[in-house]
């Protein structure tokens, strides 16, 4: 076999291995990022639910206080 062809094959195989290793590393990084995002999205969802529950809990109190204040002002 022609040495230039053999050298080119070796060079391309090395490039392929290097790129394959880079691809594996990047896929691992993406996997970690996706796992972190999944956790953060779940946390954000839980926070939104908690905030909605807090808002709902205090909403009637705000309305009741407003009504009581209105009544006391008009009764004076």
């Amino acid at each position: 076999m022609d040495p230039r062809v053999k050298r080119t094959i070796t060079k391309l195989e090395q490039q392929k291995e290097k790129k394959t290793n880079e691809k594996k590393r990047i896929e691992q990084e993406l996997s970690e990022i996706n796992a972190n995002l999944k956790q953060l999205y779940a946390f954000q969802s839980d926070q939104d639910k908690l905030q909605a529950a807090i808002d709902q809990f205090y909403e009637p109190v705000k309305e009741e206080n407003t009504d009581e204040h209105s009544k006391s002002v008009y009764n004076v």
Side-chain angles (χ1 to χ4, degrees):
M1 184 183 293
D2 185 8
R4 291 176 293 176
V5 172
K6 194 169 188 176
R7 197 173 1 174
T8 303
I9 289 172
T10 304
K11 182 180 175 182
L12 289 174
E13 285 176 343
Q14 288 172 348
Q15 286 179 352
K16 178 182 175 184
E17 184 177 349
K18 181 180 176 183
K19 294 294 181 181
T20 302
N21 290 338
E22 278 184 53
K23 180 181 175 185
K24 288 178 184 177
R25 182 186 56 79
I26 290 171
E27 286 175 344
Q28 178 64 31
E29 286 179 22
L30 283 172
S31 177
E32 292 172 6
I33 289 170
N34 284 333
N36 288 340
L37 279 171
K38 185 177 179 181
Q39 288 178 333
L40 288 172
Y41 286 140
F43 180 70
Q44 182 181 29
S45 176
D46 290 344
Q47 274 192 324
D48 290 344
K49 290 176 187 175
L50 182 60
Q51 187 61 50
I54 290 170
D55 292 344
Q56 184 180 5
F57 178 79
Y58 284 110
E59 187 63 32
V61 173
K62 290 178 184 175
E63 291 175 2
E64 289 174 10
N65 285 343
T66 303
D67 292 341
E68 289 175 14
H69 178 69
S70 299
K71 288 178 187 176
S72 64
V73 169
Y74 291 119
N75 289 335
V76 170

